[in-house]
Amino acid sequence: MSERLNTPQVPKTAIWNDPTFRAIAIQVLASIAIIWFFWTIFDNTLTNMSSRGITTGFGFLNNTAGFGILMSLIDYDETYTYGRTFYVGLLNTLLVSFLAIVCATVIGFIIGVARLSKNWLISKMAAVYVESIRNVPLLLQIFFWNFAVIQPLLPSPKQSFALADMFFLNNRGAYLPKPHFDDRIWLVVIAIFAAIVAIVYVTKWARRRQESTGQPFHTFWAGLGILLGLPLATYFLSGVQVTVDYPALQGFNMRGGTEVIPELLSLTLALATYTASFIAEIVRAGIQGVSYGQTEAARALGLRHAYTLRLVVIPQAMRIIIPPLTGQYLNLMKNSSLATAIGYPDLVGVFMGTTLNQTGQAVEIVGMTMAVYLAISLIISAFMNWWNKHMALVER
Amino acid sequence: MNEFKPLPNLPPPVATAGVIGWLRANLFPSPFSALLTVLGIYFLYITLVPFLDWAVFSADWFGTDKSACISGGACWAFVTSRIDFFIYGFFPTSEVWRINICFALFVISFAPQFFDAFPYKKNLGIFSLTVFPAISYVLISGGWFGLVEVSTEKWGGLSLTLMLAYVGIVAALPFGVVLALGRRSQLPVIRTFCILFIEWWRGVPLISVLFMSSVMLPLFLPEGMNFDKLLRALIGIIMFQSAYMAEVVRGGLQAIPRGQHEAADALGLGYWKSMLLVILPQALKLVIPGIVNTFIALFKDTTLVLIIGLFEVLASVEAVVRGAQWRGLTFEGYVFVGLCFWVFCFGMSRYSQKLERKLNTGHKR
């Protein structure tokens, strides 16, 4: 009897069948293989570089670059260093990404809503836009806008398209008036930040009041008022001196003003229209993802059409839209590297192109460039994950 | 007795049925909508009419150089006279039949997939993923069985574009599956490595990957060993693509209910057997539309190899419209290439949407 009560004897397994041992063994072997792989690459690279006479390290960043860059947001000329070319390229990348993201969002939301329109013609036109743009390679569209539209169709500086003798558009680019402010402009900048902070607090206050008393508050109009009013008031009260530098034709070219090079125009156009076609689909899916019962429920509560959209449909649609929208923004930022194909001086074109060709420091330069893109991607996606968690439906 | 005789049915009111009813409901339901319709028609009138006139009605279709284009419309003569160059690149004319055989094989191995009744779909699928690329490689590169060797510098045009995309996706598939399994593995070292690998390649633009494979790869290899330019680009594309593929496959793996894992465990299957026999067949079936979508993205991205000097279809058209004979036909050139890509990509995206509806058999949670 006592034998039966004993726990059954587990037959002793061979050590290579023991799950814990196997897990450890596999991971140790994998680590060794990975380390060996990277060590081989590292070793080969060092050997190859020394045999080609390339010095390693980031010292080259302090050498004088000696080449000019078409467009720069910060002071730059031939006498600056290679390190400076990195920042010039990075800022140009960020600039075109920012412009294109703003335009793509606006176009994408309009097209996405148009595609859901009850008007047959409008929804079909939106569908044709989406299907024709997103099935054609982006590089081709960049070439198309740059070499087939912007460059041949724009006139020479002498026959510029002009608007009120202030804005000019010709094949050298677009020229805008350039305002120069004196030091007191900082007050206006501070006022803008103060306005943003004030709006955040007004929004919070309005929400608390609505939750406790049920009285709605026109947050949007109040916010717009603060955002425009506060800086404008500061501007007039502080008496900032503004001098405007107007562009004008001198000889064969334009002088003065702010110059926007044609490559930036075509790149922004191509990136914005291409990404907009994807954003339109995301917006459509987001709005369709809110079930019609929600709209009916809002109507049953007696909400008017505009309130139904603003308080019920859009907040729920945004929850679906935001994550893939972030993905599209990241794609756009990475796609802006195609700039190098038309000669817009972005990070890849300037740093991984010219600087790499001049210095031959392939490993350092490619590594730095990739690290920048990787860092921006990771930061934005980490932020968006946090935000998404913040916005996600709390289910019980 | 008067017999009850109903009057004949009245036709529906003109305003709600027929053409007029449709127009009222879909084009002019409200003043604002009507305004949009009018603006839309006007927009189409000022864009589509001149474009059609330019592209079709007053276009020149044949000729040997630019002087043949006199009518003021589009000059398509460069397409009709250089179409061989756009498809085959610099491939020797006497050997072009080899590429044509590959095209034919491609069509033969994929066409039956569109017919539901065809019984050997799976075998044919395996053939087109394994044997077909091997045969095509032997045929196109030559050097075996008395075929003249054609070096990769001569490959080009649309055939190179298709080759890059196809090889990229077929080779990335096994890597992607392994990486996806690794990312869901219980072993921390394997999982971390897979996550790092996937996020690294997904975080950088393809163009920097191509730069890396063309300037850095030679430094990584032992001295004296080198690959040609095409193979280097392919390695970059495959690494890049396998990370995206891994995420697609992971989506499929996550959609498989836990019960399937437990059932496989209960049958006493080990890790590899349960994955290969139970989980992966279901997961891969679910992600076929996703794979087609990745393929479309890669197909469009292959144009980037022109930046590192490979001669795919966009580069070959660029070369022609910048040459002396057809100088200045950039607009026509880009419209032509765009149309080529559009036909392939639109067809594939429709196919993947159809598959998605067909495969949506209620597995989704």
Side-chain angles (χ1 to χ4, degrees):
Chain A
M1 288 296 279
S2 64
E3 275 173 10
R4 221 189 272 170
L5 286 173
N6 279 348
T7 47
Q9 277 284 308
V10 181
K12 194 144 175 66
T13 48
I15 188 166
W16 55 85
N17 278 337
D18 178 41
T20 325
F21 172 77
R22 285 171 69 150
I24 294 172
I26 289 171
Q27 297 191 68
V28 168
L29 283 179
S31 315
I32 291 172
I34 293 166
I35 291 169
W36 174 80
F37 178 74
F38 281 105
W39 172 252
T40 318
I41 284 184
F42 182 68
D43 191 46
N44 283 340
T45 312
L46 282 187
T47 329
N48 282 326
M49 283 172 79
S50 67
S51 72
R52 290 178 202 190
I54 308 172
T55 50
T56 48
F58 290 94
F60 74 96
L61 289 175
N62 297 323
N63 297 347
T64 307
F67 63 92
I69 297 178
L70 196 55
M71 181 189 131
S72 169
L73 294 178
I74 48 177
D75 291 338
Y76 178 83
D77 60 41
E78 286 85 349
T79 57
Y80 281 90
T81 60
Y82 286 123
R84 188 79 168 181
T85 65
F86 173 77
Y87 291 112
V88 172
L90 178 60
L91 285 175
N92 284 342
T93 290
L94 293 178
L95 172 74
V96 73
S97 306
F98 174 76
L99 290 177
I101 280 177
V102 173
C103 299
T105 312
V106 173
I107 304 174
F109 272 74
I110 292 174
I111 301 281
V113 172
R115 211 172 163 188
L116 290 172
S117 162
K118 287 202 182 75
N119 188 314
W120 182 85
L121 184 70
I122 297 296
S123 85
K124 280 288 171 290
M125 276 167 70
V128 168
Y129 174 88
V130 169
E131 291 297 345
S132 54
I133 297 282
R134 70 170 181 174
N135 283 320
V136 172
L138 176 61
L139 184 64
L140 176 62
Q141 298 190 32
I142 293 176
F143 276 4
F144 176 81
W145 285 112
N146 195 51
F147 297 128
V149 177
I150 300 269
Q151 283 189 356
L153 295 192
L154 290 181
S156 68
K158 286 215 161 175
Q159 282 100 33
S160 308
F161 298 126
L163 184 68
D165 270 354
M166 279 193 242
F167 303 93
F168 295 91
L169 188 64
N170 56 48
N171 59 10
R172 305 277 174 88
Y175 294 83
L176 320 168
K178 186 181 190 178
H180 292 281
F181 305 102
D182 65 13
D183 290 342
R184 275 169 293 182
I185 191 65
W186 280 108
L187 290 172
V188 180
V189 175
I190 292 168
I192 292 175
F193 280 107
I196 292 172
V197 173
I199 288 171
V200 171
Y201 277 99
V202 168
T203 315
K204 278 189 175 169
W205 168 81
R207 187 177 296 160
R208 260 206 316 276
R209 191 181 76 156
Q210 186 168 6
E211 275 169 9
S212 59
T213 65
Q215 281 195 318
F217 184 73
H218 292 290
T219 320
F220 177 76
W221 295 111
L224 198 66
I226 296 174
L227 193 62
L228 291 179
L230 205 56
L232 277 180
T234 328
Y235 172 75
F236 286 116
L237 289 177
S238 64
V240 179
Q241 295 290 316
V242 184
T243 49
V244 183
D245 178 12
Y246 292 106
L249 186 68
Q250 261 184 23
F252 292 104
N253 212 341
M254 309 294 294
R255 288 270 179 276
T258 305
E259 186 191 354
V260 181
I261 57 173
E263 286 84 1
L264 177 63
L265 289 181
S266 37
L267 190 63
T268 311
L269 253 172
L271 282 172
T273 47
Y274 181 76
T275 315
S277 70
F278 290 90
I279 293 180
E281 283 297 277
I282 292 170
V283 170
R284 180 174 73 107
I287 296 176
Q288 281 180 337
V290 181
S291 78
Y292 194 63
Q294 297 286 328
T295 311
E296 290 174 334
R299 291 282 167 76
L301 286 175
L303 291 181
R304 274 186 285 127
H305 184 66
Y307 278 107
T308 311
L309 280 181
R310 231 182 66 202
L311 299 175
V312 179
V313 177
I314 291 178
Q316 297 189 68
M318 285 316 272
R319 207 173 267 152
I320 308 175
I321 290 172
I322 296 286
L325 190 64
T326 323
Q328 287 305 325
Y329 288 167
L330 287 179
N331 277 347
L332 191 152
M333 202 257 316
K334 285 186 277 173
N335 282 337
S336 72
S337 57
L338 295 185
T340 171
I342 55 166
Y344 174 77
D346 81 320
L347 183 61
V348 170
V350 170
F351 197 58
M352 210 149 89
T354 321
T355 306
L356 175 59
N357 283 340
Q358 287 201 1
T359 59
Q361 304 281 354
V363 179
E364 294 85 350
I365 287 179
V366 175
M368 276 172 79
T369 313
M370 283 183 148
V372 165
Y373 282 102
L374 197 63
I376 300 177
S377 294
L378 292 181
I379 290 169
I380 295 185
S381 64
F383 174 73
M384 277 301 157
N385 281 343
W386 169 82
W387 198 80
N388 199 26
K389 219 173 258 173
H390 182 70
M391 281 287 284
L393 206 59
V394 182
E395 286 187 59
R396 277 181 278 263
Chain B
M1 288 286 283
N2 278 341
E3 199 188 332
F4 173 65
K5 255 169 85 183
L7 291 168
N9 289 337
L10 286 173
V14 189
T16 58
V19 178
I20 296 177
W22 186 88
L23 284 178
R24 278 189 66 155
N26 293 302
L27 293 182
F28 303 100
S30 66
F32 178 65
S33 193
L35 179 72
L36 284 181
T37 307
V38 171
L39 285 178
I41 290 172
Y42 178 69
F43 177 76
L44 288 182
Y45 176 74
I46 60 163
T47 54
L48 209 59
V49 173
F51 181 77
L52 279 181
D53 182 54
W54 172 83
V56 182
F57 299 118
S58 57
D60 294 290
W61 297 88
F62 299 102
T64 50
D65 64 16
K66 219 181 154 184
S67 60
C69 299
I70 37 164
S71 62
C75 185
W76 298 121
F78 81 99
V79 178
T80 45
S81 76
R82 300 302 301 273
I83 188 76
D84 282 357
F85 180 66
F86 296 155
I87 296 180
Y88 306 111
F90 294 108
F91 215 78
T93 322
S94 57
E95 306 296 322
V96 153
W97 60 271
R98 283 148 57 172
I99 296 185
N100 286 338
I101 288 185
C102 294
F103 279 143
L105 264 179
F106 180 78
V107 173
I108 292 171
S109 63
F110 272 95
Q113 302 281 3
F114 292 94
F115 298 103
D116 290 341
F118 186 75
Y120 307 112
K121 273 187 183 175
K122 204 172 178 183
N123 293 342
L124 203 61
I126 294 172
F127 169 82
S128 45
L129 290 186
T130 53
V131 185
F132 168 64
I135 295 178
S136 306
Y137 176 71
V138 171
L139 260 178
I140 294 176
S141 71
W144 280 290
F145 311 117
L147 292 170
V148 188
E149 195 173 339
V150 181
S151 70
T152 54
E153 285 105 69
K154 299 212 167 126
W155 303 10
L158 193 61
S159 50
L160 180 67
T161 301
L162 287 168
M163 240 184 290
L164 281 171
Y166 195 76
V167 175
I169 215 82
V170 169
L173 190 60
F175 284 114
V177 169
V178 170
L179 283 169
L181 288 176
R183 196 169 179 169
R184 286 169 60 80
S185 162
Q186 311 265 319
L187 312 175
V189 172
I190 309 268
R191 189 173 61 233
T192 317
F193 177 73
C194 289
I195 291 177
L196 285 179
F197 186 92
I198 292 170
E199 293 304 326
W200 161 264
W201 292 110
R202 272 161 44 92
V204 297
L206 178 57
I207 179 140
S208 65
V209 175
L210 289 174
F211 264 111
M212 180 178 152
S213 59
S214 67
V215 293
M216 269 166 80
L217 204 61
L219 291 178
F220 290 161
L221 297 170
E223 274 193 312
M225 180 178 169
N226 206 352
F227 300 144
D228 73 353
K229 203 158 57 170
L230 180 64
L231 189 57
R232 289 205 303 258
L234 260 179
I235 291 175
I237 288 177
I238 292 169
M239 293 287 114
F240 184 76
Q241 207 57 33
S242 57
Y244 282 86
M245 195 58 95
E247 288 301 274
V248 171
V249 175
R250 186 165 74 108
L253 289 175
Q254 280 175 345
I256 303 299
R258 233 188 116 66
Q260 297 288 329
H261 288 268
E262 290 166 349
D265 287 348
L267 285 175
L269 299 179
Y271 178 79
W272 288 109
K273 274 190 177 163
S274 76
M275 284 301 157
L276 288 175
L277 298 176
V278 180
I279 308 297
L280 277 177
Q282 302 182 66
L284 287 181
K285 190 190 109 179
L286 281 182
V287 297
I288 292 175
I291 294 176
V292 177
N293 288 340
T294 351
F295 182 73
I296 297 174
L298 174 61
F299 186 63
K300 288 187 291 174
D301 279 347
T302 50
T303 45
L304 301 200
V305 297
L306 83 85
I307 294 173
I308 57 165
L310 288 175
F311 220 71
E312 50 70 70
V313 61
L314 181 54
S316 58
V317 172
E318 276 264 292
V320 169
V321 299
R322 296 195 184 283
Q325 222 171 355
W326 303 101
R327 180 177 297 282
L329 295 176
T330 42
F331 201 92
E332 282 91 338
Y334 296 138
V335 170
F336 168 68
V337 184
L339 202 65
C340 290
F341 274 99
W342 187 83
V343 168
F344 278 99
C345 295
F346 185 70
M348 283 188 289
S349 77
R350 276 295 133 116
Y351 175 62
S352 109
Q353 282 167 11
K354 193 189 133 212
L355 264 181
E356 224 162 305
R357 277 195 294 275
K358 206 177 95 186
L359 295 177
N360 193 358
T361 45
H363 256 307
K364 275 191 187 150
R365 286 183 299 171

